[in-house]
Amino acid sequence: MTFKISYQGEPGANSHIACLEVYPDAEPMPCPTFEDAFAALAEGEAELAMIPIENSVAGRVADIHHLLPDSGLHIVGEHFLPIHHQLMAIEGASLATIKSVQSHVQALGQCRRTLRKLGLSAIVGADTAGSARQIAEAADPSRAAIASRLAAEVYGLRILAEDIEDEAHNTTRFIVLSREAAPAEPGQDCVTSFVFRVRNIPAALYKALGGFATNGINMTKLESYMIEGQFTATQFYAEVDGHPEEPPLKRALEELAFFSRELKVLGIYRAHPFRANLRDRHPAE
């Protein structure tokens, strides 16, 4: 049965590719903004959402950390997508004819060496796939775009240079959201994502996190951000290896809850195989 999965961006975006890789039988649903992608899921227009949360070169996708905690949605999976940037233009264009290149600011930044080598002027676009569409519509052989191979297919553009990203490790991590919680079973290789706010007492964060160290829990992510427009109101987003029903993580979360004003688990989901590959390449010392 076909179902819809919302994503931010236009057809051909990396989020579109992630949808096709994880759910090849689903109908990807493009949305102009992250808010629209969240709303499509929350209001029942889509059954799932594919949302980028961080990139190995550009860092976290800041908007998501503000949208996710209050969305009422649940993380039910993750996906790691290697990012490959293609330099593309209309049929008849070549490396000799192009003078400028348009793309999302992060894509432009991730291809600096190639752009400098070719002497191209960089033009910031709203996103990669949208830039590819605009270049196709302009039909100007002096203009190019940086986008995915799928975007070149969607908009009928010719790839002039392949895989022009500066860093070979360029990877984006996506989370899969659902209206209903679907926690993974204990005993599997799991990730638990949650947000919390510590009480306003001295050394509260140190005390709150102590239980993870004493129980041998690997915390893979801890990020802070201001909320409610106050410099003193800080919320933390964290991810740890393990399942809350397993005794070590259960004890650690109980200790965290004692020192926190608020603790909300956003998802308990199977770890993507990419994580195991990372552990094999960088074993703990």
Side-chain angles (χ1 to χ4, degrees), residues 106-119:
Q106 290 186 359
L108 293 170
Q110 292 167 12
C111 302
R112 286 191 182 95
R113 287 200 291 266
T114 297
L115 301 190
R116 189 181 305 114
K117 179 181 177 181
L118 295 176

Side-chain angles (χ1 to χ4, degrees), residues 116-183:
R116 189 181 305 114
K117 179 181 177 181
L118 295 176
L120 299 176
S121 299
I123 299 174
V124 176
D127 55 54
T128 56
S131 294
R133 174 182 56 76
Q134 291 175 11
I135 294 305
E137 292 173 349
D140 183 345
S142 71
R143 296 175 60 185
I146 293 175
S148 69
R149 190 174 299 275
L150 177 60
E153 296 174 2
V154 170
Y155 301 109
L157 296 176
R158 178 185 173 210
I159 295 177
L160 305 180
E162 299 181 332
D163 301 345
I164 63 171
E165 61 275 2
D166 293 340
E167 303 293 342
H169 64 73
N170 192 353
T171 302
T172 295
R173 175 173 171 248
F174 293 82
I175 53 175
V176 181
L177 301 180
S178 172
R179 287 187 300 277
E180 303 296 331

Side-chain angles (χ1 to χ4, degrees), residues 40-56:
L41 174 57
E43 295 170 6
E45 296 179 47
E47 281 66 47
L48 296 173
M50 182 71 69
I51 303 295
I53 192 169
E54 59 188 331
N55 176 268
S56 61

